[in-house]
Amino acid sequence: MITLNVNGKSMQVDADPDTPLLWVLRDHLGMTGTKYGCGMALCGACTVHVNGQPARSCSTPLSAAAGKRITTIEGIGQTREGRVLQEAWVANDVSQCGYCQPGQIMSAAALLAKVKRPTDAEIESAMNGNVCRCGTYNRISLAVRQASRNLK
Amino acid sequence: MNAFEIVNLSRRDFLKAGAGLTLGIVVPEAPAQMAGPGRAGGSVVASGAFEPNAFVRIGTDNTVTVIVKHLEMGQGTYTGLPTLVAEELDADWGQIRAEGAPADAGRYNNLFFGTMQGTGGSTALANSFEQMRKAGAAARAMLLAAAAERWNVAPDSITITRGAVVHAPSNRRTNFGQLAASAAKLPVPQEVKLKDPKDFVLIGRRLTRTDSRAKSNGTAIYTQDVKLPGMLTALVAHPPRFGGKAKSFDADKAKAVKGVVDVVAIPQGVAVLANDFWSAKKGRDALAVEWEESGAFKLGSAEIMAEYRKLAATPGLSARKEGDPAGAFARAAKTLEAAYEFPYLAHACMEPMNCVVKLSADACEIWNGEQFQSIDQAEVAAALGMKPEQVKINMLFAGGSFGRRANPHADYVVEAAQIAKAHAEKSGGRVPVKLVWTREDDMRAGHYRPMYHHALKGGLDAQGNIIAWQHRIVGQSILAGTAFAGMMVKDGIDATSVEGAANLPYAVPNLGVELHSPQMGVPVQWWRSVGSTHTAFSTETFLDELAAAGGKDPYQVRRALLAKSPRHKAVLEMAATEADWSTPLVSARVGDRRGRGIAVHESFNTVVAQVAEVTVRRDGSWRVDRVMCAVDCGLAVNPDVIRAQMEGGIVYGLTAALHGAITLKDGVVEQSNFHDYMPLRMNEMPRIGVYIARSSEKPTGVGEPSTPVIAPAVANALFAATGKPIRSLPIRIQA
């Protein structure tokens, strides 16, 4: 048994230590908001926070996540950044198919937690690892800027 | 009266109770919780006197649930169809929910597809435009009658505005929820009057998508997220080449992996079933399979294209002929020839293909984001020895599709069913099975947009006017060998191979379009905007080459040739105006070359024009700075959804133009994941402006038509900047 701290709760997991955090969250803990897109840290759909830093959970083994603070899309609404981002996502109807959006929001939340008023270049750099095949990028950057303004 | 009622006369009766009651008002035991499939499903609906599988369900909690017969794959149909219902119902947008319809072609057929239930060809809103409004109007009439009865007043003294039912003379008011139970006891009206468009209050306005919130907090449920008691996850080892088969396999090492439950042979390969994804993946990695490849396809992209080039030198089947092209070429002052080449393209949806199947003694239940319910039912039934109606389908959100989930052979859905069947036969028990393709499986599974070769020849008179046009297309038929062949392949011409070319809108007096449809062992399929993905590129860039050869402005050439195509001309002028076409571009840095390109194209009855502006730097690197997109899609029901689809279609098309190529070597697909089949990312995004033409015509589709226009607009901009034409995709320019 390995103990994980997910969204402030302590959870016991019976999985091999090499199991990627993504599949621990999805298959063992039943938290399916974090998505599988590529399995190689190329698309960002699986982005979570590990000790506040954005991490690709598909390429983070369970052993490396044990004992650290993990935040997922299910918990990010409890943070100020997460809340304003989710509101901005809805206000701008960013989502199309929506499959990549939990990862997008997690990357954006990590950015805003670090930089309250990011420049366009900082937004691009923070979000460039997140792929959206529906092509919502311009709305994503609009929503991040709007959320940044709403972070009081 | 209109097209869909003619093609589908029986459905005209849909509002009559005797015809199966497709409109129902039921009383839920518990309130429907939220928008989205898998949320407000059968469990929260009481088994009342009324069928829940209708278009509209009004709960005592005052929610209005619209049952949407189309797949929500991002295009916004869970907003568009509910808008139509809400408009005629005079509902408040806040009380509207959306839910996916089950597979039931008797009720939920696409009125443009005859008796088939399915989503595609940018038809969801267009085919539903009157049907859903009628459903809303009928529900409104029943609610109004219920209120009149309760208050004992004349129905026409009651008003309904934004969900509030009011009798002003007696100052009484109520809502839909309080009327639902009594309305449910009333007869469904035979005739309903639809609103005059000038009275629309929701149509034409910006409304929040019904799925935005669930998609922003991780609660939206996709196939990948389904978990059923006892469910196993299956990964499949597929043959490395198309047409290969498993000769033998050694499952010992796979079965030794913790969590692996079974290894079974299926027609498409060997499936490993495990308690979870990661165990299944490790099991598959450990599996040893020997492949039988005597019937496998072993050519590479280079050999395929070489064959296509040879074919392009010979006459093909005629798809269109006007005037006397040969005679006109003989007297032309100048002729120009160009060849265009297009690679295979994968759809690469963010959610790789997957499907959940649960077998029982007399049924097969599926959970999936389905584009083609009727085909999937028939194919799965055939694979399992059942009848199509024994195949139940629960609709979920799809994490993108772009045509991929509309497979004429139901490939991955049948694969899931076969795994479940093979495991059940072997183990003697029936457990639900979730088939999951990895990104690599998805990328290498075929069903690509076909490779094409186009040969174009144009003739100009002494004044530079285009007097002759010959267009020869070489590429695999998408529809040959599918259930659609009878309908859409005529005299050997697959309509999807020549669409956009055979209906060239320009007034060229002598014109010939020909087609070769060679067979190749690579499975092909429609890809967002289908034939237009290649025909828009070759026709619109060749037109610019002819304009340049004739010393004319590409925008003015188009205007002159589109005199009899008013919709094309109007959006063309709109895009050019928004781009300040006649104002020269300014370079930000010395040595930068800038260019502006224009393209216009009709697909799925929608016309889109785009102007792209590019900057080419001294080192040969380049970017698209800005795109102005004008669209005529008839009446704009949801302007913001239209904008989103134009933006998304541009990104999808631009991704292919910049990076997209699936290539084969000795029959093996060379790409596997997003590092070698690169998606466009935020750093490559142009600014995009979308301009919607005012129209009172019936709405047409918006999911696809912006995709094919961007590549030729960008290529024409590069041609303007560098003087060198772009004749193959993805775009590669020399410094």
Side-chain angles (χ1 to χ4, degrees):
Chain A
M1 283 284 181
I2 294 174
T3 304
L4 276 184
N5 181 321
V6 185
N7 299 327
K9 286 186 199 129
S10 180
M11 299 179 177
Q12 299 288 313
V13 182
D14 179 17
D16 282 352
D18 73 338
T19 309
L21 176 60
L22 170 66
W23 299 108
V24 171
L25 291 169
R26 293 183 56 84
D27 286 351
H28 294 266
L29 300 176
M31 301 169 74
T32 56
T34 306
K35 300 302 187 203
Y36 166 71
C38 71
M40 289 177 69
L42 295 166
C43 80
C46 67
T47 305
V48 298
H49 297 179
V50 176
N51 283 350
Q53 295 298 312
R56 309 301 188 215
S57 63
C58 75
S59 304
T60 305
L62 173 59
S63 54
K68 296 183 180 150
R69 276 183 302 112
I70 295 151
T71 310
T72 70
I73 188 67
E74 287 89 353
I76 199 68
Q78 304 300 315
T79 69
R80 267 161 11 111
E81 297 83 22
R83 197 171 58 244
V84 294
L85 280 163
Q86 286 173 334
E87 288 311 314
W89 245 248
V90 173
N92 292 286
D93 278 331
V94 170
S95 300
Q96 289 188 28
C97 90
Y99 192 82
C100 74
Q101 300 298 348
Q104 303 276 2
I105 289 173
M106 294 307 290
S107 289
L111 169 69
L112 291 190
K114 204 163 72 179
V115 189
K116 225 172 208 180
R117 295 279 183 278
T119 62
D120 287 359
E122 284 169 322
I123 293 174
E124 190 180 289
S125 155
M127 303 303 296
N128 221 39
N130 287 77
V131 172
C132 171
R133 289 285 286 154
C134 296
T136 65
Y137 298 116
N138 286 354
R139 287 179 189 234
I140 288 171
S141 75
L142 188 72
V144 173
R145 278 179 275 147
Q146 192 183 91
S148 149
R149 285 194 300 275
N150 292 341
L151 258 189
K152 291 197 186 87
Chain B
M1 191 177 92
N2 60 55
F4 75 74
E5 288 183 342
I6 291 163
V7 297
N8 203 336
L9 212 54
S10 64
R11 301 265 69 78
R12 289 195 68 183
D13 292 337
F14 82 94
L15 293 179
K16 292 180 187 166
L21 192 60
T22 48
L23 174 142
I25 295 178
V26 296
V27 185
E29 283 169 337
Q33 311 234 315
M34 60 182 302
R39 291 278 152 183
S43 60
V44 298
V45 178
S47 51
F50 291 82
E51 300 225 17
N53 295 332
F55 292 117
V56 187
R57 188 170 67 224
I58 296 176
T60 50
D61 63 348
N62 202 32
T63 56
V64 175
T65 302
V66 176
I67 293 95
V68 181
K69 64 182 184 174
H70 291 291
L71 169 64
E72 176 57 75
M73 48 188 155
Q75 85 280 37
T77 198
Y78 276 25
T79 302
L81 268 54
T83 301
L84 302 173
V85 171
E87 178 67 65
E88 296 290 344
L89 185 57
D90 281 316
D92 184 79
W93 186 245
Q95 71 189 130
I96 297 288
R97 307 285 181 270
E99 185 181 306
D104 182 355
R107 290 171 181 166
Y108 298 120
N109 59 320
N110 183 324
L111 300 177
F112 290 175
F113 292 179
T115 55
M116 185 189 144
Q117 184 178 359
T119 305
S122 296
T123 58
L125 190 93
N127 94 91
S128 309
F129 185 56
E130 289 193 0
Q131 185 182 43
M132 296 306 279
R133 286 167 65 206
K134 283 179 179 171
R140 183 188 190 278
M142 292 166 78
L143 293 164
L144 191 75
E149 207 174 275
R150 181 172 299 175
W151 292 334
N152 198 20
V153 300
D156 61 6
S157 64
I158 297 171
T159 58
I160 304 182
T161 314
R162 293 186 64 180
V165 185
V166 176
H167 184 247
S170 62
N171 199 22
R172 279 178 289 190
R173 62 189 296 137
T174 185
N175 64 26
F176 296 168
Q178 288 165 350
L179 292 168
S182 358
K185 299 190 182 100
L186 297 173
V188 179
Q190 303 282 314
E191 293 290 332
V192 289
K193 195 171 171 291
L194 297 181
K195 281 185 184 175
D196 186 317
K198 74 173 165 46
D199 298 324
F200 287 157
V201 291
L202 296 176
I203 289 176
R205 266 186 48 202
R206 187 187 186 284
L207 304 167
T208 301
R209 288 178 65 123
T210 59
D211 53 357
S212 263
R213 192 160 296 278
K215 287 177 175 177
S216 303
N217 61 22
T219 60
I221 300 296
Y222 302 81
T223 307
Q224 193 83 33
D225 306 328
V226 173
K227 186 157 193 182
L228 301 173
M231 186 180 82
L232 297 176
T233 297
L235 264 71
V236 176
H238 294 107
R241 290 179 173 84
F242 300 113
K245 284 184 176 12
K247 187 192 278 177
S248 63
F249 63 92
D250 180 349
D252 288 354
K253 282 183 186 154
K255 283 182 177 165
V257 172
K258 192 177 133 199
V260 171
V261 173
D262 198 2
V263 177
V264 295
I266 55 167
Q268 299 88 344
V270 183
V272 177
L273 296 102
N275 292 322
D276 59 282
F277 173 90
W278 193 245
S279 303
K281 166 88 166 49
K282 287 207 279 191
R284 188 180 69 171
D285 290 346
L287 184 69
V289 185
E290 196 185 339
W291 301 102
E292 158 61 48
E293 296 201 305
S294 58
F297 182 77
K298 288 177 184 154
L299 292 185
S301 293
E303 290 89 47
I304 297 171
M305 195 56 88
E307 204 164 303
Y308 288 4
R309 281 182 206 127
K310 271 189 243 163
L311 272 173
T314 66
L317 295 173
S318 175
R320 183 179 169 194
K321 195 174 175 200
E322 304 285 341
D324 173 20
F329 278 116
R331 65 171 186 277
K334 201 173 192 177
T335 60
L336 193 68
E337 289 187 56
Y340 295 85
E341 296 187 342
F342 304 90
Y344 286 117
L345 292 174
H347 301 76
C349 314
M350 284 309 297
E351 182 186 17
M353 296 305 105
N354 48 28
C355 186
V356 176
V357 169
K358 185 183 169 193
L359 296 179
S360 58
D362 56 357
C364 170
E365 190 167 4
I366 291 174
W367 286 259
N368 191 20
E370 290 269 325
Q371 240 190 294
F372 270 179
Q373 291 90 338
S374 297
I375 290 197
D376 291 348
Q377 278 182 303
E379 294 287 329
V380 168
L384 299 176
M386 289 183 179
K387 294 187 185 118
E389 57 269 27
Q390 290 173 283
V391 179
K392 286 178 61 184
I393 298 178
N394 301 286
M395 277 296 276
L396 301 171
F397 285 125
S401 187
F402 317 113
R404 180 62 182 88
R405 293 172 211 272
N407 184 284
H409 306 290
D411 65 326
Y412 67 94
V413 181
V414 167
E415 184 170 301
Q418 278 163 337
I419 296 166
K421 181 177 172 231
H423 176 65
E425 282 168 357
K426 220 172 129 196
S427 66
R430 294 187 191 91
V431 295
V433 171
K434 182 200 284 183
L435 166 68
V436 176
W437 281 6
T438 63
R439 173 60 56 197
E440 290 81 4
D441 297 331
D442 191 86
M443 197 69 82
R444 292 180 160 158
H447 305 290
Y448 303 130
R449 195 286 306 271
M451 278 177 75
Y452 286 97
H453 179 96
H454 289 218
L456 276 124
K457 188 176 170 189
L460 303 173
D461 66 13
Q463 288 75 47
N465 299 307
I466 304 169
I467 57 166
W469 177 286
Q470 185 191 282
H471 191 168
R472 207 170 272 161
I473 298 172
V474 184
Q476 285 169 265
S477 165
I478 293 171
L479 296 173
T482 74
F484 298 91
M487 199 164 47
M488 292 168 78
V489 181
K490 293 217 168 66
D491 301 324
I493 303 280
D494 179 337
T496 69
S497 297
V498 296
E499 61 185 355
N503 55 336
L504 189 79
Y506 301 115
V508 178
N510 306 289
L511 181 145
V513 179
E514 296 174 13
L515 176 67
H516 287 282
S517 304
Q519 294 190 359
M520 287 289 157
V522 180
V524 293
Q525 199 176 318
W526 24 50
W527 187 100
R528 197 175 190 173
S529 83
V530 199
S532 293
T533 59
H534 49 107
T535 60
F537 188 83
S538 63
T539 57
E540 285 295 281
T541 55
F542 190 59
L543 191 73
D544 268 41
E545 290 201 46
L546 289 175
K552 292 175 190 274
D553 175 80
Y555 165 52
Q556 296 301 344
V557 162
R558 284 178 174 79
R559 281 190 70 213
L561 292 171
L562 291 171
K564 287 180 181 162
S565 303
R567 292 177 76 207
H568 286 76
K569 190 158 176 268
V571 292
L572 184 80
E573 290 174 349
M574 226 170 146
T577 304
E578 294 297 340
D580 291 325
W581 180 263
S582 49
T583 310
L585 287 164
V586 179
S587 297
R589 282 187 302 189
V590 178
D592 280 0
R593 288 169 292 172
R594 299 203 65 205
R596 195 185 268 138
I598 193 163
V600 60
H601 190 81
E602 175 182 353
S603 56
F604 310 99
N605 302 316
T606 292
V607 194
V608 172
Q610 288 167 16
V611 173
E613 293 172 357
V614 301
T615 297
V616 182
R617 299 180 202 95
R618 260 191 293 199
D619 62 0
S621 65
W622 61 281
R623 65 170 294 129
V624 183
D625 304 311
R626 192 165 77 123
V627 178
M628 276 62 60
C629 172
V631 54
D632 177 352
C633 56
L635 178 73
V637 174
N638 298 104
D640 195 58
V641 171
I642 295 168
R643 273 191 285 276
Q645 285 311 293
M646 293 301 116
E647 293 161 7
I650 287 168
V651 176
Y652 204 71
L654 188 56
T655 301
L658 294 178
H659 307 297
I662 289 286
T663 55
L664 278 76
K665 194 168 178 230
D666 303 327
V668 176
V669 175
E670 294 184 287
Q671 291 71 29
S672 61
N673 208 315
F674 288 133
H675 62 290
D676 50 15
Y677 190 77
M678 282 179 21
L680 186 135
R681 294 174 186 268
M682 191 179 271
N683 64 333
E684 294 176 312
M685 275 300 288
R687 282 175 289 139
I688 298 173
V690 177
Y691 311 94
I692 303 170
R694 250 178 213 288
S695 170
S696 52
E697 297 296 315
K698 281 187 186 171
T700 55
V702 296
E704 298 170 87
S706 83
T707 300
V709 191
I710 185 64
V714 166
N716 286 341
L718 289 167
F719 182 40
T722 67
K724 290 177 194 153
I726 307 292
R727 289 177 178 167
S728 68
L729 293 179
I731 295 170
R732 296 287 175 260
I733 66 171
Q734 272 108 45

